[in-house]
Amino acid sequence: MSAVSSRAFRLYGKKLPNGTHSDIPMMLPLIDMCNHSFNSNARILQEQDAGNPKMLIKVVAEREIKQSDPLLLNYGCLSNDFFLLDYGFVIPSNPYDHIELKYDGALMDAASMAAGVSSPNFSSPAPWQQEILFQLNLDGEVPNLKVTIGGPELVEGRLLAALRVLLSNDREMVQRYDLSVLKSLSAEGPLGVANEVAAFRTIIALCVIALGHFPTKIMDDESLLKQGVSVSTELAIQFRMQKKSVIIDVMRDLTKRVKLLLSKETTTA
């Protein structure tokens, strides 16, 4: 697969009815003097009048910058997909990097069974569960089935809520909670410890399945880089290494959470 993308910046375009702005790609002269950093010392300031053809875009220092120090902009809280396609580099240990999966009942069933969950029903949810999936936009005529793992959320809220709901048979308990609670990783097991452990183990199994789709392991990638490859191949290898690292980090985090939940349950018992 190949993809082509320009180095245009995504600036604010027209204001939309919901109050947000559309993105408008724009080439900014001399902007390549500024490098990317999440800990930036300057920022881009855009005039409000997006319809003005003479609208000014300025780079403004956010703190004192010494002579010969680099100008550092935060290109955005982006995944490595955008950094690679738009700017031609990959950020190691990018806190905003994630992987994308398709929410699919058969895949979720397979992951749950691999995690030791008996009789999962992701492929055939009950009507009340299907209604919640519809509210999460994971069911219906035009659902958004793309869900993410990694990044600041660790697990996308829609995926977490779907797992919690479909791994529960207690309709009344589920309906006690607002969707925002069911989507929150900070909400400690709203549907009980067993449900939470099953949800986390299912996500861990999803991660294992995702890792299995890569043709190489991280150690293989490291060996390839040591052999010396072309610049474009090196970028591709770095990109997939970072994706694997995201998956492994999520697995480690959720494994710790599972152990903590089980230890609390044992202590309570």
Side-chain angles (χ1 to χ4, degrees), residues 7 21 49 55 58 63 68 71 79 95-96 98-99 105 112 129 145-146 183 190-191 195 214 222 227 239:
R7 294 196 62 169
H21 289 81
D49 187 4
M55 174 183 63
K58 306 173 185 177
R63 57 178 184 261
S68 300
L71 293 175
S79 70
Y96 303 100
H98 57 251
I99 63 162
S112 289
Q129 293 171 322
L145 298 178
K146 183 182 76 175
K183 290 163 68 175
L191 304 182
N195 175 273
F214 286 98
E222 290 171 343
Q227 292 172 18
F239 176 78

Side-chain angles (χ1 to χ4, degrees), residues 9-26 46 48 50-51 55:
F9 272 66
R10 292 179 177 84
L11 300 176
Y12 291 125
K14 292 181 181 179
K15 193 170 185 178
L16 302 176
N18 63 4
T20 62
H21 289 81
S22 63
D23 286 343
I24 178 169
M26 192 176 291
Q46 177 181 348
Q48 293 297 312
M55 174 183 63

Side-chain angles (χ1 to χ4, degrees), residues 19-252:
T20 62
H21 289 81
S22 63
D23 286 343
I24 178 169
M26 192 176 291
M27 301 301 290
L28 303 182
L30 306 180
I31 200 67
D32 278 343
M33 292 193 306
C34 307
N35 289 324
H36 165 78
S37 172
F38 290 126
N39 184 24
S40 58
N41 58 18
R43 63 188 173 95
I44 293 179
L45 190 64
Q46 177 181 348
E47 287 186 347
Q48 293 297 312
D49 187 4
N52 181 1
K54 295 185 178 180
M55 174 183 63
L56 289 177
I57 310 294
K58 306 173 185 177
V59 174
V60 181
E62 293 199 296
R63 57 178 184 261
E64 187 177 343
I65 302 174
K66 296 177 182 178
Q67 185 175 349
S68 300
D69 278 359
L71 293 175
L72 301 172
L73 291 175
N74 185 344
Y75 289 3
C77 300
L78 306 172
S79 70
N80 276 336
D81 306 63
F82 283 108
F83 282 122
L84 177 60
L85 287 174
D86 286 4
Y87 305 112
F89 59 82
V90 172
I91 302 286
S93 304
N94 180 355
Y96 303 100
D97 201 15
H98 57 251
I99 63 162
E100 297 175 354
L101 299 173
K102 180 183 177 182
Y103 182 88
D104 176 78
L107 174 64
M108 299 301 156
D109 277 337
S112 289
M113 286 188 284
V117 177
S118 59
S119 305
N121 62 334
F122 290 96
S123 297
S124 54
W128 65 272
Q129 293 171 322
Q130 199 163 4
E131 174 59 30
I132 296 175
L133 288 178
F134 179 78
Q135 294 173 36
L136 294 169
N137 200 20
L138 292 171
D139 199 353
E141 291 184 8
V142 283
N144 175 15
L145 298 178
K146 183 182 76 175
V147 292
T148 61
I149 292 175
E153 270 191 301
L154 195 71
V155 179
E156 184 181 330
R158 295 188 310 135
L159 173 60
L160 181 60
L163 291 173
R164 283 169 167 168
V165 170
L166 271 80
L167 289 168
S168 173
N169 295 318
D170 194 333
R171 179 178 180 177
E172 289 184 5
M173 178 179 280
V174 170
Q175 292 179 339
R176 287 180 205 163
Y177 296 99
D178 187 78
L179 270 185
S180 60
V181 176
L182 295 174
K183 290 163 68 175
S184 173
L185 191 61
S186 61
E188 290 193 14
L191 304 182
V193 171
N195 175 273
E196 196 78 343
V197 168
F200 288 168
R201 283 179 170 165
T202 299
I203 297 168
I204 292 168
L206 278 174
C207 289
V208 172
I209 293 170
L211 274 178
H213 281 79
F214 286 98
T216 60
K217 297 179 180 178
I218 289 182
M219 289 183 293
D220 300 326
D221 293 335
E222 290 171 343
S223 297
L224 285 171
L225 290 177
K226 288 175 182 176
Q227 292 172 18
V229 290
S230 67
V231 173
S232 57
T233 301
E234 182 179 352
L235 272 173
I237 293 172
Q238 289 173 347
F239 176 78
R240 74 185 183 200
M241 284 176 69
Q242 292 304 316
K243 292 297 180 185
K244 293 170 193 174
S245 295
V246 168
I247 297 171
I248 292 167
D249 288 345
V250 170
M251 291 171 67
R252 284 175 177 158

Side-chain angles (χ1 to χ4, degrees), residues 247-264:
I247 297 171
I248 292 167
D249 288 345
V250 170
M251 291 171 67
R252 284 175 177 158
D253 188 298
L254 293 180
T255 299
K256 288 178 183 176
R257 291 172 187 263
V258 167
K259 288 179 179 176
L260 183 61
L261 284 167
L262 293 175
S263 67
K264 284 183 178 178

